[in-house]
Structures are given as C-alpha cells and as structure tokens.
Amino acid sequence: MATALKPDAPPAGRAGGRPGVGFWLASYVFAITIAFSAVPAPLYVLYQARDHFGPLLVTVIFAVYALGVAASLFLVGHVSDWLGRRRILLIAVAVNMASGLLFLLWPAVPGLIIGRIISGVSIGMLTATATAYLSELHAAARPGTPRTRAEIMATAASLGGLGLGPLIAGFLAQYAGAPLVVPYLVFEALMLAGCGVLLVTPETVRPPEQRHPYRPQRVMVPAASRGTFFAAGAAAAVAFSLFGLFTSLAPGFLAGTLHDRSHALAGLATFIVFGAAALAQIGTSRISLRRQLGLGLGLLAAGLILVTVAVWNPSLPLLLAGGALGGAGAGAVFKGAISTVMDIAPEQARGEALAGLFLAAYLGLAVPVVALGFATQALSVRTALLGFSVLLAVVIVVVARQLLRGRPAPRKRQGAPADQLAGD
C-alpha cells in the first residue's frame, strides 16, 4: 500500500513545489470542482420551461448524480492511496469538465442525465482524495501541529463549494445573459485553471513498491456497535435529505409557488443552506459530541418545520429561515455522525466504516427526494412535503433516542470481528 510522506520528508511533486502553497492551491481545486457539481441547481427551472417536464424528472436528474457519487466513492475513491493524490485530482477535475462540455453540447434531457452521472463520478473521486491531500499537505507544511486547519478547510471547500456553485450560477444566469451557457463556460475556465495549479503542487504519496490487486472500497459495519452505527447512518441520511430538497426542488418552488423566477434568488437559497452547514460544522467543532448531535438534530427539525410552513403558507422569509436553520442542523449532524463512526470503528477499519456512512448519506440525498418527486404526481406539493417532513421527523426522533441516550459504544480492539457488506 502507498504511504503518505512524513511531515519532514521532501514533497514528491515537481521541483520547487512547496506543501504550504500546495495546501491553498489544492483547496482552490477542491472548492471550485465541487462547486461546479451544484451549478445546475438554479438552472433546472429553465430546463423545465424549455423542455416542459415536471418536478419528478428534476428529482431523477438530481438522483442520478448522487448515485454516480456513491458508485465512484466505492470504485475509485480510494485509488489515490497507490496512484497518488495529484494524479487522481487531475482526473477528477477533467471528468467534471467533460460533464460541463456535455451540458453545453447536449442540453437535452438525456444529456442532462448523463452529464449529472459523470459529474457525480468526478465528485466521488474528488472528495476522499482531496480531503486526504489537504491533511497530508498540512502535515508536511506544519509538522507536529493539529489537523484542525486541514479539517476546517476541507469542510469549507466541500460544503462552501456546494453553496457557491449555485450562488455564482444563479447570478450569472440572472445578469450575464445566455443563462444555460455562461455559467458552464465560467466554471470550465475555473476548473481548467485548477488543472494548471495542480501541476505545481507537490505529491504526498509515494507509489508502492509492489502494486496490490485492485478491489473496490470495502464497507464495514462494526458488529459490536451496530445500533449506534445505523443511527449515525440514518442521521447522515436525514441531513443529506435536506440538502437534496434544496438543490433539486426548492428553485422550482420559488418559481412556481412564490412566483419569483429570479435565478439569483434560487442560487442564494441553496447557498444559505450549504453556507449555514459549513459554518455550523466549524462553530460546533469545540463542543462535545453529544451536544453537537443534540443541537444539530434540534436545528434540523426546526428547519424542516419552517420549510413546511413556508410551503403551506407561501413565505420567502420563512423558506430562507428554514433553510438556514435546517442547513446548520444538517452540517452539525453530519459532522457528529462522522465523529460517532470514528469513535466506534476499529482503527484498522475506519475507512470501511466511513464508506458505509457515506453510502447512507448519499442514499439519503437521492431516495427521499425521488420519493417526494413521485408523490407530487399524485398529491399536491404541500401534502407531499408534509409527508416528507413527518417521515424525516420520525427518523430524527428515533436517531436522537439512540445517539443521545449515553456515550457512544467504546471503540473495538484491533482484530475484533466486524460485519463486511462488501468483500475483498
């Protein structure tokens, strides 16, 4: 298996590459690439108006992205351990640029679906690789210091990027003209610049002396802490369900129910959710895990209530307030879920346990929102959203009873048995 360079080892990248500068360059690449994945969010209403399709197809287009992310996480999300961080990041950016070209050259529904799948594959490659890369660049630049800076930057780049993408795309669509062309061209240029800066960032992984046979990422559930693990997975799924709601259906609600067709406002609404999530993850980093989860679940429930009220009694301020509260809660809950899994998983299997958590999260991103889209075919949007919110509220209560009733189960000793969901 490949090994990360020790903090005092010289970077393995190009001559003159410095890990301190590389840290910021890699952060830019992480943020701008993941931002592009959310660019279509405020533009869906334009595609709907042009091609005359409803909310159900929007949710399908959105869901295939989540499935692409999940598949990529397990098939290629870990290969940078032996192929190198920089190489995989370059491939991930290039794949996302290919999806952007598809949006530009084939803007019909089949092109949108294929483009979203490709974008999801890119993000699955990017997320774990970039997070590990930032941690290793930080350790090389500042030996012996805590990883807090790297963790904060990874959070800001991922959730902040997901908020910035729709915000920038919405304003470009509103004020720059050619709304289905200009946002993609701008981000294509930004990602091309990202490929350029990656060429001067140092590599942090030495290739292995002997290449191990390829295998997909394993998924593991700690057998001794099954209840806590599944509760953490359900919490992550609920958090991502709120993200899915705002990135897929909220722009259509603004245009159809509130009769406000501002693309800038649609982008701003999504930015508020992800921005609040990023700030909450940073703001709750110093409080206890139990308080973090309790606060997050409470804010998530409050946000769902406000969003539901805003739909039943159409109100833009309530919708934005619900998005901010729910986003903050989702950010804190997801961070708490990761910490919970890290606590209960054996050290040698943390990667596999976290893979299981991310699988739950991305199922939460896709499945409930698609179900909501189907429900709107038979029920009014208000009734469908009420059922969606009630279901998530029930899950929140069950999760809270499991995760907040006491300390998480102690971490298992190395070598303790675990349930494997996917073999070698």
Side-chain angles (χ1 to χ4, degrees):
M1 188 175 194
T3 56
L5 292 177
K6 295 180 180 179
D8 56 351
R14 252 185 162 189
R18 293 183 296 172
V21 175
F23 177 85
W24 297 108
L25 295 178
S27 298
Y28 164 79
V29 174
F30 192 2
I32 208 65
T33 308
I34 208 164
F36 174 76
S37 71
V39 161
L43 308 180
Y44 284 137
V45 291
L46 293 172
Y47 291 114
Q48 285 182 270
R50 189 195 65 187
D51 295 332
H52 309 291
F53 57 81
L56 176 59
L57 188 53
V58 173
T59 61
V60 171
I61 294 171
F62 175 80
V64 296
Y65 161 79
L67 295 177
V69 175
S72 180
L73 274 170
F74 297 112
L75 295 177
V76 294
H78 59 306
V79 298
S80 67
D81 287 344
W82 61 85
L83 293 181
R85 310 295 186 208
R86 190 174 61 173
R87 181 183 298 179
I88 298 304
L89 282 182
L90 277 167
I91 294 173
V93 177
V95 170
N96 225 10
M97 290 183 68
S99 75
L101 290 176
L102 200 58
F103 290 133
L104 289 168
L105 300 176
W106 191 13
V109 170
L112 295 178
I113 292 175
I114 297 172
R116 290 302 283 162
I117 294 173
I118 294 174
S119 184
V121 169
S122 166
I123 298 307
M125 299 172 64
L126 174 86
T127 306
T129 302
T131 301
Y133 196 29
L134 289 178
S135 180
E136 291 159 5
L137 288 169
H138 166 79
R142 300 185 179 184
T145 60
R147 294 176 302 180
T148 304
R149 183 179 73 135
E151 292 172 354
I152 289 175
M153 184 54 66
T155 294
S158 57
L159 291 178
L162 286 170
L164 282 174
L167 181 68
I168 295 172
F171 274 86
L172 288 173
Q174 186 70 31
Y175 301 112
L180 297 182
V181 174
V182 172
Y184 297 115
L185 290 177
V186 168
F187 276 90
E188 289 283 279
L190 293 172
M191 287 190 290
L192 182 61
C195 290
V197 302
L198 279 175
L199 296 178
V200 297
T201 58
E203 181 56 79
T204 56
V205 169
R206 291 191 180 100
E209 295 179 2
Q210 181 178 2
R211 182 73 56 84
H212 293 280
Y214 168 80
R215 62 166 175 79
Q217 171 70 61
R218 289 176 295 185
V219 181
M220 184 272 290
V221 176
S225 309
R226 229 177 259 158
T228 302
F229 179 88
F230 285 125
V238 171
F240 272 55
S241 293
L242 181 83
F243 294 151
L245 177 67
F246 268 83
T247 50
S248 62
L249 296 180
F253 169 74
L254 289 173
T257 302
L258 295 180
H259 306 294
D260 192 323
R261 296 188 174 274
S262 169
H263 310 305
L265 178 60
L268 178 63
T270 305
F271 172 77
I272 286 173
V273 175
F274 286 103
L279 290 176
Q281 287 199 344
I282 296 169
T284 60
S285 60
R286 297 186 182 276
I287 67 176
S288 70
L289 176 57
R290 189 175 180 184
R291 287 185 61 194
Q292 184 180 107
L293 286 166
L295 177 64
L297 290 168
L299 289 174
L300 185 53
L304 281 170
I305 291 171
L306 286 183
V307 169
T308 305
V309 172
V311 172
W312 275 78
N313 184 26
S315 167
L316 177 60
L318 274 181
L319 180 71
L320 297 180
L325 282 178
V333 165
F334 187 57
K335 187 174 186 300
I338 290 175
S339 298
T340 299
V341 171
M342 292 285 283
D343 280 344
I344 64 177
E347 289 186 17
Q348 79 278 11
R350 284 180 184 165
E352 288 90 341
L354 286 173
L357 180 71
F358 280 110
L359 175 61
Y362 279 100
L363 286 175
L365 187 70
V367 175
V369 174
V370 171
L372 179 60
F374 274 104
T376 59
Q377 304 302 297
L379 304 169
S380 68
V381 172
R382 295 192 307 174
T383 303
L385 181 61
L386 178 61
F388 176 86
S389 299
V390 169
L391 177 61
L392 294 189
V394 170
V395 176
I396 288 173
V397 171
V398 173
V399 163
R401 291 183 61 184
Q402 176 68 33
L403 295 180
L404 304 182
R405 66 184 180 184
R407 295 174 60 85
R411 189 178 297 156
K412 293 175 8 177
R413 296 188 303 274
Q414 291 192 10
D419 293 340
Q420 294 290 334
L421 297 185
D424 292 315

